[in-house]
Amino acid sequence: MATAKYIFVTGGVTSSLGKGIISASLGKLLQARGFKVTIQKFDPYINIDPGTLNPYEHGECYVTDDGAETDLDLGHYERFLNTPTSQANNVTTGRIYNNVITKERKGEYLGKTVQVVPHITDEIKRNIFQLGESGEYDFVITEIGGCVGDIESLPFIEAVRQVKWDVGVNNFLVIHLTLIPYLSAAKELKTKPTQHSVKQLLEAGIQPDILVCRSERHLPPEIRKKLALFCNVHINSVIEALDADTIYDVPILMRKEKLAERVLAKLKIPNKNEPNLDQWKVFLGKLKNPTDEVSIGLVGKYVELPDAYKSIVEAFTHAGAVNECKVNIEWISSETITNENSASVLGKYDGVLVAPGFGERGVEGKIEAVKFLRESKIPFFGICLGMQCAVIEFARNVLKLKDASSTELNEKAKHPVIDLMEEQKKVTNKGGTMRLGAYPCDLKKGSKTNSIYGKTKISERHRHRYEFNNKYLEQMEKAGLMATGINPDTGLVEVVELKDHPWFIGTQYHPELKSTVLNPHPLFVKFVEAAQNHKKENNSKR
């Protein structure tokens, strides 16, 4: 296809309906027919990016190879499409306004009154077209965050209206995701919220082409007819989106509802190819028919909101399917773990992951967790701060450096085994200034991590400020905590492993960010396998 087609996914009635999953599922169905697809997310908040947001505010902050801190929906896009995203795939109101104000200060609008229309909307459109004009994609799917009718999203909706006339009706399509609630007292599905939502879109000058209706119950033909009549869409374009057991069912459900066929027909693209979803179905088959199960404890500080660890949860889903094993994740607040209760809290698990995080709250609990896991030989996996806690614990309890700590937790620590990088000491702005994105790592031959990856040179994504202090490296390695992954450019430690332990690995990087359905991350795959082995050993001792 010579020209990229632009598909917009909007939402109404309520947030959290699953625009990201619908966008990713449609992208998967188009990709499975041989098309090249990318998906971008436009977020209406004024933060430049979600990097400075508390996970309780916005869930996980996802990081791309090029170092962009982005919305967690980009994780879904990558996990479904198995293709990397970038800075261009996530745009916020903050970035739009920042770009426009920067141009105004440089004098690029000299003599002009800078306004929402056309200057803000033009900047939004520039970002919409950026990926499509690269020539790499047949389809650019753009998800508009928030709800239609929100004050924040008005400029985005106006920009979408203008795009139709910029690219032509055959290159433009709007999918509106909405809710059909079921009132148990009346025992009926209600279409009025959807009618009002579509009416708001129409007031903004946009007629949706396809309605995707989230519902707990099947939509009977009369409801579809009513929606088609009142929302001015063809009855075949009223798509049912029932609640699914797993998000990975959604492409199959949308296949049954012929969502991709409706899109191709509306955009006048002849395509007789059936989507090739064989690998996807194999994955689903393994996911839904496990032959084993393990219990994994996830020690973190944001456990009340599982979305804060979304990529970790999904990486366990992918790894579980490979091992034909159901992974039961149990959430443990690190603030509740002490030296006295660590055995009773953690001893029942087949493996424990100590999660990433920032700040000192809950860190001592994570350190106590690592101590118990190290001593009891239960499989341990530490990511980012989890790896740093393993280093601090080892320094305190094995090297007997009682004051060992991270300067993030104690600036005056006598033994700062985790310290701020030199270049980070001069940083005053918090946003976008960490070590972000993909960096190379050399794995030591013969190490456990090397055998897991099957190679010595890897690239993984980072999001942190503090690093292993190499002044303590020799001391640590002599005592048995080996640095088995090193950044070749800086000499910084990326991976630590413990000798004489069945599975004790900490990574400074975030392996969960690169796990996809078709390429599960090897560290998660082998960690689940280690948990299975630990469970078998425990059972044989009983």
Side-chain angles (χ1 to χ4, degrees):
M1 284 170 25
T3 310
K5 307 284 185 181
Y6 294 90
I7 300 168
F8 296 90
V9 179
T10 58
V13 184
T14 177
S15 58
S16 303
L17 283 181
K19 292 190 297 293
I21 302 298
I22 290 295
S23 300
S25 298
L26 173 59
K28 184 73 209 168
L29 291 171
L30 293 170
Q31 187 190 58
R33 284 175 163 81
F35 294 109
K36 289 172 287 181
V37 184
T38 190
I39 313 175
Q40 55 185 353
K41 172 82 183 279
F42 280 42
D43 273 311
Y45 51 74
I46 297 175
N47 303 64
I48 298 283
D49 58 45
T52 54
L53 287 174
N54 186 311
Y56 285 135
E57 285 273 326
H58 204 68
E60 169 189 78
C61 176
Y62 189 78
V63 179
T64 59
D65 274 346
D66 64 351
E69 293 177 287
T70 71
D71 184 79
L72 61 79
D73 274 327
L74 268 73
H76 292 313
Y77 307 160
E78 290 202 12
R79 287 188 281 272
F80 276 57
L81 300 186
N82 203 35
T83 52
T85 53
S86 69
Q87 182 83 57
N89 291 78
N90 191 202
V91 179
T92 67
T93 292
R95 245 189 51 218
I96 297 293
Y97 273 82
N98 189 50
N99 291 349
V100 169
I101 290 166
T102 301
K103 287 177 184 175
E104 187 274 332
R105 291 291 83 187
K106 286 180 179 174
E108 290 186 30
Y109 306 119
L110 218 50
K112 299 283 185 189
T113 303
V114 180
Q115 296 175 291
V116 173
V117 181
H119 301 99
I120 296 297
T121 50
D122 281 354
E123 180 63 18
I124 292 170
K125 288 196 292 180
R126 186 185 71 77
N127 281 274
I128 289 170
F129 294 138
Q130 189 177 354
L131 289 166
E133 288 169 351
S134 69
E136 293 177 43
Y137 304 107
D138 301 316
F139 292 94
V140 177
I141 300 172
T142 304
E143 176 193 344
I144 307 293
C147 275
V148 169
D150 293 349
I151 289 172
E152 294 96 333
S153 57
L154 286 174
F156 292 102
I157 297 298
E158 169 57 20
V160 171
R161 184 193 70 78
Q162 293 178 23
V163 168
K164 181 178 182 179
W165 306 109
D166 292 338
V167 301
V169 290
N170 291 339
N171 296 314
F172 170 93
L173 184 137
V174 173
I175 296 170
H176 190 53
L177 181 64
T178 181
L179 178 69
I180 308 291
Y182 179 80
L183 296 187
S184 52
K187 292 188 170 49
E188 59 182 347
L189 291 161
K190 289 293 182 184
T191 64
K192 192 61 75 178
T194 296
Q195 292 177 46
H196 281 299
S197 181
V198 171
K199 187 180 174 187
Q200 284 192 300
L201 255 187
L202 289 167
E203 284 173 359
I206 295 172
Q207 165 65 58
D209 299 284
I210 295 171
L211 287 182
V212 175
C213 304
R214 279 296 304 274
S215 179
E216 296 172 12
R217 302 185 176 229
H218 283 290
L219 302 183
E222 61 270 20
I223 291 284
R224 294 197 192 223
K225 280 181 192 169
K226 188 175 181 182
L227 286 164
L229 178 65
F230 285 102
C231 299
N232 204 29
V233 298
H234 194 281
I235 191 165
N236 287 351
S237 296
V238 178
I239 303 289
E240 174 187 272
L242 289 174
D243 293 351
D245 295 335
T246 163
I247 58 172
Y248 301 109
D249 276 332
V250 179
I252 306 299
L253 295 173
M254 291 300 101
R255 167 88 181 93
K256 286 178 184 167
E257 283 287 302
K258 296 186 164 38
L259 175 60
E261 284 92 329
R262 297 309 304 157
V263 166
L264 294 170
K266 290 262 180 198
L267 294 173
K268 296 186 167 43
I269 299 168
N271 188 267
K272 291 174 183 165
N273 296 342
E274 286 297 305
N276 181 358
L277 293 167
D278 293 349
Q279 283 180 284
W280 196 270
K281 287 174 181 174
V282 167
F283 161 75
L284 272 178
K286 288 183 174 182
L287 180 65
K288 293 187 169 190
N289 299 286
T291 57
D292 192 9
E293 64 179 300
V294 292
S295 181
I296 301 288
L298 191 149
V299 177
K301 57 192 281 189
Y302 310 113
V303 292
E304 291 87 354
L305 184 74
D307 268 4
Y309 304 109
K310 192 69 180 168
S311 291
I312 290 174
V313 173
E314 298 309 324
F316 272 125
T317 303
H318 309 152
V322 172
N323 289 291
E324 295 184 45
C325 173
K326 184 182 180 187
V327 179
N328 298 307
I329 298 173
E330 293 192 29
W331 307 89
I332 306 157
S333 171
S334 56
E335 291 180 274
T336 64
I337 300 173
T338 63
N339 185 42
E340 290 73 32
N341 72 7
S342 57
S344 61
V345 173
L346 302 170
K348 60 188 174 183
Y349 295 109
D350 305 312
V352 176
L353 183 143
V354 178
F358 292 92
E360 63 179 298
R361 181 173 67 84
V363 171
E364 289 301 325
K366 288 184 177 183
I367 292 168
E368 289 298 341
V370 176
K371 178 175 184 283
F372 171 74
L373 298 166
R374 176 178 60 79
E375 292 174 345
S376 61
K377 309 281 191 192
I378 292 174
F380 159 81
F381 191 3
I383 296 176
C384 199
L385 182 61
M387 172 266 206
Q388 295 177 0
C389 288
V391 172
I392 296 167
E393 188 280 324
F394 193 84
R396 286 182 187 176
N397 299 312
V398 179
L399 301 182
K400 304 301 180 188
L401 305 173
K402 291 300 176 193
D403 190 41
S405 192
S406 163
T407 48
E408 181 180 12
L409 316 173
N410 177 7
E411 286 181 20
K412 297 175 182 174
K414 190 176 172 187
H415 295 289
V417 291
I418 304 293
D419 200 7
L420 207 54
M421 295 179 284
E422 263 323 299
E423 60 266 31
Q424 285 288 339
K425 290 178 180 175
K426 305 169 192 126
V427 170
T428 52
N429 285 353
K430 294 289 183 198
T433 54
M434 289 185 270
R435 183 147 79 101
L436 291 164
Y439 286 86
C441 172
D442 289 349
L443 300 176
K444 287 191 178 169
K445 282 185 181 174
S447 66
K448 186 184 278 287
T449 315
N450 169 223
S451 69
I452 288 170
Y453 277 92
K455 52 189 175 184
T456 54
K457 294 197 176 291
I458 60 168
S459 171
E460 293 281 4
R461 298 178 191 174
H462 296 67
R463 184 177 184 249
H464 61 100
R465 291 183 200 282
Y466 295 81
E467 301 279 359
F468 185 105
N469 187 341
N470 281 347
K471 288 176 189 172
Y472 295 88
L473 181 55
E474 190 179 338
Q475 216 176 333
M476 294 265 185
E477 294 209 309
K478 271 185 185 171
L481 188 70
M482 313 306 294
T484 56
I486 305 287
N487 181 298
D489 304 320
T490 59
L492 293 167
V493 173
E494 299 277 17
V495 184
V496 295
E497 288 178 27
L498 189 61
K499 275 185 172 181
D500 308 320
H501 192 287
W503 215 95
F504 189 104
I505 293 176
T507 65
Q508 183 60 77
Y509 52 78
H510 289 259
E512 73 276 15
L513 298 177
K514 293 186 87 168
S515 186
T516 69
V517 169
L518 299 184
N519 276 313
H521 199 284
L523 282 175
F524 278 88
V525 172
K526 291 299 180 183
F527 181 58
V528 170
E529 191 182 292
Q532 287 177 285
N533 292 336
H534 180 74
K535 182 183 174 184
K536 280 176 198 162
E537 283 169 23
N538 269 3
N539 289 342
S540 66
K541 288 174 190 172
R542 286 176 186 150

